[in-house]
């Protein structure tokens, strides 16, 4: 019973994380918009920013990892490796979300000290896509955090019997 419960909980968390990383990747990759400002046309897309490219790469790696682990999670021989890789993926997701959120904040609010103007007024569709991708990324990071905490609980419980 306990093993079945563990498999169900981890599978649901992994499915949630997989869906969130996949949607974050797709939404960010499909985010693009063009605008004209003072007769100058510019386009906003994720590939214009190295930070957003890092975000997409991290989310895509987490998506691939999540898909692979969904099929391997039932094998007992790789449990410890999966726990270690879950921590690594959670760290990668957290760092990419932090960087992308900083760039998105500058895009939305600008930076008066550096003289950077906000761009979300000119390309609101692009900013909405980025916001959606960041929300999905947060959901994935939280899912991996909960998964890591649950995995630690499962592995440490036999070591400290009550």
């Amino acid at each position: 019973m306990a093993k079945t419960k563990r498999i169900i909980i981890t599978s649901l968390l992994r499915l949630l994380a997989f869906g969130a990383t996949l949607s974050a990747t797709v939404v960010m990759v499909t985010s693009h918009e063009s605008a004209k400002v003072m007769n100058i046309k510019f386009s906003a897309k994720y590939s214009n920013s190295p930070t957003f490219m890092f975000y997409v790469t991290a989310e895509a790696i987490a998506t691939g990892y999540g898909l692979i682990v969904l099929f391997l999670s039932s094998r007992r021989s790789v449990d410890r490796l999966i726990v270690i890789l879950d921590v690594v993926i959670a760290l990668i997701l957290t760092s990419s979300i932090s960087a992308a959120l900083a760039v998105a904040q500058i895009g939305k609010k600008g930076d008066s000290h550096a003289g950077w103007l906000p761009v979300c007024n000119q390309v609101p569709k692009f900013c909405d896509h980025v916001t959606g991708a960041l929300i999905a990324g947060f959901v994935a990071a939280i899912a991996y955090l909960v998964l890591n905490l649950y995995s630690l609980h499962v592995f440490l419980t036999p070591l400290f019997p009550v």
Side-chain angles (χ1 to χ4, degrees):
M1 178 69 178
K3 184 177 180 178
T4 306
K5 181 181 172 185
R6 180 180 64 86
I7 290 172
I8 290 171
I9 291 173
T10 57
S11 295
L12 288 175
L13 285 169
R14 290 191 187 286
L15 278 172
L16 175 66
F18 172 74
T21 56
L22 180 64
S23 62
T25 304
V26 169
V27 169
M28 186 64 99
V29 167
T30 59
S31 65
H32 61 284
E33 187 175 6
S34 296
K36 252 188 183 179
V37 178
M38 295 186 274
N39 289 332
I40 299 172
K41 185 177 179 181
F42 74 96
S43 67
K45 48 188 167 182
Y46 87 96
S47 59
N48 291 345
S49 168
T51 305
F52 287 157
M53 289 174 53
F54 169 58
Y55 178 75
V56 168
T57 304
E59 294 290 330
I61 288 170
T63 302
Y65 169 76
L67 184 63
I68 291 169
V69 171
L70 275 172
F71 294 111
L72 291 179
S73 62
S74 61
R75 296 189 181 165
R76 191 81 177 139
S77 61
V78 294
D79 276 352
R80 292 177 196 258
L81 177 63
I82 289 174
V83 170
I84 292 168
L85 291 176
D86 283 348
V87 172
V88 171
I89 291 295
L91 292 173
I92 290 171
L93 288 176
T94 304
S95 67
S96 70
I97 290 167
S98 299
L101 188 60
V103 170
Q105 180 69 16
I106 290 172
K108 184 172 182 160
K109 303 283 186 182
D111 187 352
S112 60
H113 300 293
W116 296 335
L117 299 174
V119 296
C120 284
N121 296 336
Q122 285 79 30
V123 285
K125 183 179 147 191
F126 172 74
C127 290
D128 290 343
H129 270 108
V130 169
T131 302
L134 288 173
I135 290 170
F138 273 117
V139 170
I142 291 169
Y144 271 105
L145 173 68
V146 172
L147 185 62
N148 286 328
L149 292 174
Y150 183 72
S151 296
L152 285 173
H153 169 71
V154 166
F155 281 114
L156 293 179
T157 300
L159 297 176
F160 303 107
V162 178

